[in-house]
Structure formats: C-alpha cells, structure tokens
Amino acid sequence: MAEIQTYDAIVIGAGQGGGPLASALEQSGKKVAMVEREHVGGTCVNEGCTPTKTMVASARVAYLARRGADYGVSTGPISIDMEVVRKRKRDIVDSFRSGSEKRLVSSGVDLLMGEGEFTGPKRLRVSLNDGGVREIEAETIIINTGLRPATPPLEGIETIPTLNSTSIMELDTVPEHLLVIGGGYIGLEFGQMFRRFGSQVTLIQRGARLLSREDKDVADEVAKILREDGVEVLLQTKLKRVAKDASGKIHLTVETPEGERTLVGSHLLLAPGRVPNTDKLNLAATDVKANKHGLIQVNDKLETNVSGIYAIGDVNGGPAFTHISYDDFRILRTNLIENGNASIKDRLLPYTVFIDPQLGRVGLSEEEARKQGLDIRVAKMPMSYVARALETDESRGFMKAIVDPQTKQILGAAVLGLEGGEVMAMLQIAMMGKLPYTALRDGVFSHPNLSEALNNLFSILDQ
C-alpha cells in the first residue's frame, strides 16, 4: 500500500477557481496538493472562453469581409483556412495554459497530474497519468472538477459521428451543413460562427425560445438576428432519431410544430447542455451530498454538508461562468486565509453571450422581476437609435433596463447590440455603486460613443 501523504489542503481541478486558490493557500503558508486530470486552466482556457472567442473573432472578420461593399470597400472572394484558424486558436490556448501552469508550480503547489477519487472522508487516491498511485489526505478539500458536454437521449446516436463543444474546434474543413442540437450559449455561438465560415446551419431547440433564461423579447430578437445571418432556427422541435446513409450524410428526424421532418447534414453538433465531472470522484466515501444530476450541494459559503470540504465553480450547480468560478475563489480566499465572512448571497450575475452582436446581461430580467411581484419600470430602446451603432452600420438589437421607480435603482439590464457586454458592464458598475438611473440619464458621456446611449435609454422613463 502506498504511503499516505498529508497536506493542509487539497484542490481537485485546476480551473479558474481551483488554480488561484491552490496558489493562494500555498503562499499563505499551507502545504497544498493540486490534482488535475488533464490540463491546467480548466474549461475556460482549454475548451471554453479562450478558444471559442478566438474563433468567434475569425468568424467576425469573415463576416465583415463579406460586407465590405456596404462600407464602400471592394474585396475579392472570401475563403476560410481552418488550419490557420485552428493554429491561431491553439497558439493562444497554449500560451494561456502554460502561463497558468507556471504560476501554479512556481507558487510551490504540489501538482499531481492524474485522476483522483475519494477513499475516505478526507482521503484520495490519485492514479497518475504517467503511472503510479499517490495516496493523499487533508482536512481541507476543495472540489473544482467542472462540467463536460452532455449527450442527449436520441435513437441511433451511438451509430454516427458527433461533435461537441471541444471537438468541433478541431475541424480541418468547414462543414457543408452543420446540424446543431441546443439553443443555449454554446449552440448559438458555434452556429453563427460556422455560418460565417460558410456552412449551412440548422439549429434545433426543444423549447419555445432560444436562451431559455432570457426574456421573450430578447430571445425573439436573437432568433431574428440569427435568421438574418442565414441560420435556420427550429423552435419547439423534438428529436426523434438519427442515422447515417451510405454516403456518410447524417439524417436527423425531428418533430416540428408543422409535423415530422428529416434534416440532412454533413456534421452534427451536440450542445444540449453539460453534466458534472463527479461520477469518478466516489463521493459516497465522503458523505458529500450531490443532487440527482451529480451537482454538489453547497451553502452560501460554498461548503458542502461535510465540514472542511468545499465545491467551487460549475460543479456546484451555480452559474457556469468563468468569472463566477473566480469569484468563488475570492470568497474562499477571504474565508479560509483572511478569516473573513464572505458569501455568494446576493452577488450580481453578469454574463455575455458572444454572438454578434453580443448579448450582455446583468441582474434581474423583466420576467424574473414580475414573477417576484416587484414594482418596476422598463426602459427599452433599439440600437438603431444609437449614433455610434448607425455610424458603424451595426444597429441590430436593443438596450433594455429594469428599474425600481421608487428607489430609482437599476435592477437588471440586457444589452443586445454592438459591444453589448461592455455596455452592460457600465450598467453593472452603476448597480454596484447603487447609482440611481437618473445619474446615467443626466451624465455627460463622450460623443460619439456607445455609452452616451444611456442618456436616451433612461430618458424614456420620463416620457
């Protein structure tokens, strides 16, 4: 039996919360082990934010090149070199990943590359990738194992080649016809991206709207934009079966509101959601509770039902965003190192969907506010009223803010438009500082700039 090594803390998963936390704990004087199955940096650096947004940038260049004539710029035929797109993506990922790993190792953390599983309440067995086994234990354990792409239940799915959010980024050619299952962030970003690369794209969503967490008007406008870009969007459409013909074409049979239909495509992207990486942890050995989906349950301070064991990032069922994972790190740093009393309670949730134009969101949606019975007013303005958007010929979408008419506080906002994520961040800062909306209505902003649109947006409430 391998000798058991004792640490002050063990972090399982080197993602955007786990990596910085391990380093901070080590630098505070604790002896820390980091267990990482595949690569440092987590989903964000390796399969999520960094590579996808790099490819989104390439797709936007292709989009603008095709629109050159709209700006009086003559261009020749547009072609896509996926090898160059992939190399650009890989170079940036490699740079970010190596930087994360160097920072982690230089902090003194004992990095164990391998698969970890619990063998007792505070003990793990790590099967190292290069062979061998390590037995380790600690009184403080942080689980940061994240999520992975889910596979939907679909007759025949095991008989055909499929793509997920990771493998689609390794394609060496542009698909002739990409079928996308799922109308969430992943499906929309890849669907629009490959449409701009030149693919025919059909997007299949089971629900009545894309981006099910968004207000109906926001979701409807997103669908309108995608259709304008040439993406076929099928809503309220159920999957029935899938098969491959002799030529390798994929035949996906679906049930639409108009009846059964068979879609024929060259590639199939599965983007129905993600599932937690907890199935190999053997949580039963720790008594840590997870829900029926495998998501670990935590309190407002990110602690599980077992004292001293925490779960941060996507694996705890909270919002699956990198910045939320990093905020989880800050909360545990405050509580475990600085003896603070930080909590996730009432923190603002900002996020950006990197379609083009972007959708930036923060705080309550209109529908959420009305379900809570709040007294609200809604300011809404099309981007076609924004001088900067018109000048750049990027006037699709709208701005929308939810306010409390009594306190004049901004409760939430959605900005679907040019640099929507950046404009949303301005509204978030106002919310963080508890500025009344009137401060933005009456503020002096540089012209011509997107920020000055906030003058007009909130002036609507005076009409």
Side-chain angles (χ1 to χ4, degrees):
M1 181 176 177
E3 179 184 353
I4 298 173
Q5 289 185 277
T6 300
Y7 293 86
D8 296 310
I10 297 170
V11 182
I12 311 171
Q16 294 299 294
L21 182 58
S23 296
L25 288 166
E26 182 74 32
Q27 291 167 354
S28 74
K30 298 184 185 298
K31 184 181 179 183
V32 181
M34 163 65 76
V35 180
E36 170 53 45
R37 177 175 61 184
E38 190 171 3
H39 37 220
V40 172
T43 296
C44 175
V45 166
N46 295 286
E47 299 98 15
C49 317
T50 299
T52 59
K53 279 44 178 183
T54 302
M55 294 181 71
V56 163
S58 294
R60 177 164 169 76
V61 171
Y63 168 73
L64 289 175
R66 291 191 179 94
R67 289 190 60 205
D70 296 344
Y71 298 89
V73 178
S74 298
T75 59
I78 304 302
S79 62
I80 306 298
D81 187 335
M82 288 302 295
E83 186 53 44
V84 174
V85 172
R86 288 194 303 170
K87 184 180 185 305
R88 180 172 175 273
K89 179 261 298 183
R90 288 172 177 169
D91 288 347
I92 294 176
V93 168
D94 289 345
S95 173
F96 284 18
R97 180 195 299 152
S98 63
S100 297
E101 187 167 340
K102 287 176 182 176
R103 286 190 293 272
L104 184 64
V105 173
S106 65
S107 70
V109 171
D110 190 3
L111 177 59
L112 306 179
M113 298 299 295
E115 186 85 54
E117 66 171 325
F118 285 98
T119 58
K122 299 288 183 74
R123 184 174 296 173
L124 289 100
R125 177 189 298 115
V126 182
S127 300
L128 300 173
N129 294 342
D130 59 1
V133 174
R134 291 275 294 273
E135 299 277 352
I136 59 177
E137 63 182 6
E139 279 304 307
T140 300
I141 296 178
I142 298 95
I143 302 171
N144 180 223
T145 49
L147 309 176
R148 65 180 184 273
T151 300
L154 175 61
E155 180 185 337
I157 192 72
E158 70 284 351
T159 67
I160 65 165
T162 60
L163 299 167
N164 60 30
S165 56
T166 301
S167 60
I168 192 171
M169 292 188 289
E170 295 304 317
L171 290 176
D172 56 9
T173 58
V174 175
E176 177 186 348
H177 186 178
L178 179 65
L179 306 176
V180 181
I181 294 176
Y185 315 132
I186 295 172
L188 267 57
E189 289 182 12
F190 280 116
Q192 186 186 53
M193 176 198 302
F194 277 93
R195 177 60 190 150
R196 291 181 166 187
F197 284 152
S199 298
Q200 181 181 346
V201 176
T202 301
L203 193 150
I204 303 102
Q205 169 74 332
R206 181 183 181 89
R209 66 177 76 164
L210 301 175
L211 301 172
S212 58
R213 293 175 55 187
E214 308 303 330
D215 285 335
K216 185 178 185 303
D217 58 348
V218 173
D220 287 348
E221 187 71 10
V222 168
K224 176 185 173 185
I225 288 169
L226 291 176
R227 285 171 173 142
E228 287 175 351
D229 281 4
V231 176
E232 182 182 23
V233 178
L234 303 180
L235 303 175
Q236 293 180 280
T237 298
K238 298 179 181 179
L239 306 175
K240 299 198 70 173
R241 59 189 173 273
V242 66
K244 184 174 66 172
D245 65 22
S247 68
K249 295 286 188 181
I250 295 169
H251 293 245
L252 176 64
T253 302
V254 298
E255 186 69 38
T256 75
E258 291 76 36
E260 187 172 291
R261 178 180 169 189
T262 297
L263 308 169
V264 181
S266 59
H267 296 72
L268 176 62
L269 170 63
L270 306 180
R274 298 171 70 81
V275 295
N277 292 316
T278 53
D279 48 316
K280 295 183 179 180
L281 286 176
N282 189 26
L283 291 178
T286 69
D287 292 328
V288 167
K289 291 182 179 178
N291 67 14
K292 64 181 181 179
H293 303 295
L295 295 165
I296 296 175
Q297 301 174 11
V298 296
N299 60 22
D300 287 346
K301 295 182 179 179
L302 302 170
E303 191 169 25
T304 69
N305 60 295
V306 177
S307 178
I309 299 183
Y310 303 82
I312 64 174
D314 305 351
V315 76
N316 66 24
F321 299 110
T322 294
H323 45 283
I324 296 300
S325 181
Y326 192 77
D327 190 56
D328 286 354
F329 144 66
R330 287 187 291 235
I331 287 168
L332 287 193
R333 178 184 60 186
T334 298
N335 296 345
L336 297 181
I337 299 174
E338 302 169 1
N339 298 314
N341 191 35
S343 166
I344 65 173
K345 187 177 181 181
D346 297 328
R347 68 180 170 187
L348 281 176
L349 171 59
Y351 55 89
T352 301
V353 185
F354 286 86
I355 52 175
D356 184 24
Q358 297 170 6
L359 170 61
R361 270 268 283 117
V362 64
L364 294 176
S365 69
E366 179 182 356
E367 291 176 3
E368 288 169 339
R370 296 196 188 283
K371 284 180 182 177
Q372 293 181 24
L374 300 179
D375 179 22
I376 62 170
R377 292 194 67 193
V378 178
K380 183 176 177 181
M381 183 179 74
M383 291 297 292
S384 58
Y385 285 15
V386 179
R388 181 64 177 164
L390 290 168
E391 290 157 359
T392 58
D393 199 10
E394 297 280 356
S395 59
R396 299 191 292 180
F398 57 78
M399 296 182 178
K400 179 179 181 181
I402 317 303
V403 304
D404 182 323
Q406 302 304 317
T407 65
K408 302 191 186 306
Q409 291 293 300
I410 303 168
L411 303 179
V415 183
L416 175 61
L418 179 64
E419 296 296 345
E422 303 296 340
V423 178
M424 173 274 291
M426 293 188 63
L427 293 166
Q428 178 190 352
I429 291 170
M431 294 167 70
M432 292 167 64
K434 299 193 180 301
L435 281 177
Y437 75 82
T438 50
L440 298 180
R441 180 197 65 192
D442 300 332
V444 179
F445 299 100
S446 170
H447 174 81
N449 210 324
L450 293 170
S451 57
E452 68 175 342
L454 300 178
N455 293 147
N456 293 333
L457 174 65
F458 289 112
S459 294
I460 290 171
L461 296 175
D462 298 329
Q463 298 174 1

